[in-house]
Amino acid sequence: MFKLFRNKKVMKLIVGFVALSFLGGFVGSFAVRSLGQLDEPEPQENDFAEQLSDMIDQMEDDLVYYTSATEVDPDNVDNYILLGDTYYDIAGLRSGYYGEDVTDYLQQARDSYTTAYELDASRKNLMLSIAMVETALSDFTEASSYYESFLAEYPESFEANALYTQMLALSEETDQAQEWLAKTKELAISDEELDIVEQLDGIVNPS
């Protein structure tokens, strides 16, 4: 369940790595977007602002829809996941582009993902979603517990190792971040993954 933005045409115009200013850049299959692979001209500043505003308005409408869906069918895991995705996506945009305090959005995202995981613990990738939100909330202890639980079962997951490396760097666990950066690099195969490792190196070893 690595989260992907649903409006890809618009998102590829405005997101390189999701919320680069939001958290120093989330990495992994959740976050990867390349600004260098556009099929159309990049928008002018006014067009960008308008598209961004329209997207957030649509996401706010989605929040109402998914919230209602969870009330109508409280046992449907997918509704909670989509609700959490939307809260998290809005948080990244509002924080990254408007500089807003998005604590409430992040807490709602965490609660939605947690409910989904409680309903269906077989959806292991929800642990990564929860960990990412806890990282955004600077609750590194909780984030670590979810990352470590996931990695205990899937130690070869590039995405999980990359995200954990980033969290360790953000929490100023420098030695551990260096150790995990090395592990993540060993797992990188594709050019995309190698690019992520390079970005991680910049976070772990800022110049």
Side-chain angles (χ1 to χ4, degrees):
M1 196 285 303
F2 291 116
K3 305 189 286 91
L4 298 176
F5 283 100
R6 285 165 290 285
N7 192 334
K8 294 181 180 179
K9 180 178 180 181
V10 177
M11 290 312 300
K12 72 179 181 178
L13 296 174
I14 64 175
V15 179
F17 285 87
V18 164
L20 193 59
S21 59
F22 180 37
L23 270 185
F26 277 134
V27 293
S29 61
F30 161 78
V32 172
R33 297 290 182 279
S34 174
L35 288 177
Q37 298 177 354
L38 301 180
D39 298 323
E40 54 204 339
E42 293 188 37
Q44 298 299 311
E45 182 177 351
N46 289 343
D47 292 337
F48 168 85
E50 183 177 350
Q51 289 184 356
L52 179 60
S53 178
D54 288 346
M55 171 174 296
I56 291 177
D57 288 344
Q58 179 59 57
M59 287 177 158
E60 294 285 359
D61 290 341
D62 289 345
L63 289 181
V64 175
Y65 175 82
Y66 293 131
T67 298
S68 176
T70 62
E71 294 169 353
V72 171
D73 189 0
D75 295 325
N76 188 318
V77 176
D78 292 330
N79 288 334
Y80 291 100
I81 293 173
L82 290 169
L83 183 59
D85 287 353
T86 307
Y87 273 119
Y88 188 78
D89 292 351
I90 293 176
L93 295 177
R94 286 194 174 279
S95 175
Y97 292 98
Y98 298 139
E100 296 179 3
D101 181 352
V102 294
T103 301
D104 288 346
Y105 285 101
L106 292 171
Q107 290 173 339
Q108 293 284 358
R110 178 189 59 197
D111 293 347
S112 298
Y113 290 138
T114 301
T115 299
Y117 189 56
E118 289 171 349
L119 287 171
D120 187 357
S122 71
R123 303 203 186 191
K124 301 296 184 180
N125 281 341
L126 281 166
M127 287 192 282
L128 296 185
S129 295
I130 297 169
M132 291 174 73
V133 178
E134 296 290 10
T135 302
L137 288 167
S138 297
D139 192 340
F140 301 123
T141 300
E142 279 297 306
S144 291
S145 68
Y146 280 102
Y147 281 132
E148 290 167 7
S149 294
F150 186 90
L151 286 166
E153 295 190 51
Y154 306 102
E156 303 302 309
S157 167
F158 174 82
E159 290 83 1
N161 280 279
L163 288 166
Y164 188 45
T165 300
Q166 184 192 48
M167 189 226 71
L168 290 169
L170 293 171
S171 62
E172 300 183 346
E173 297 288 345
T174 306
D175 291 342
Q176 284 185 280
Q178 293 283 2
E179 176 186 344
W180 239 268
L181 177 61
K183 292 182 180 181
T184 303
K185 186 174 183 178
E186 290 177 359
L187 294 170
I189 298 174
S190 67
D191 290 341
E192 183 176 76
E193 290 172 347
L194 290 170
D195 287 343
I196 290 171
V197 169
E198 183 177 353
Q199 188 182 47
L200 277 173
D201 192 15
I203 296 171
V204 174
N205 302 298
S207 56

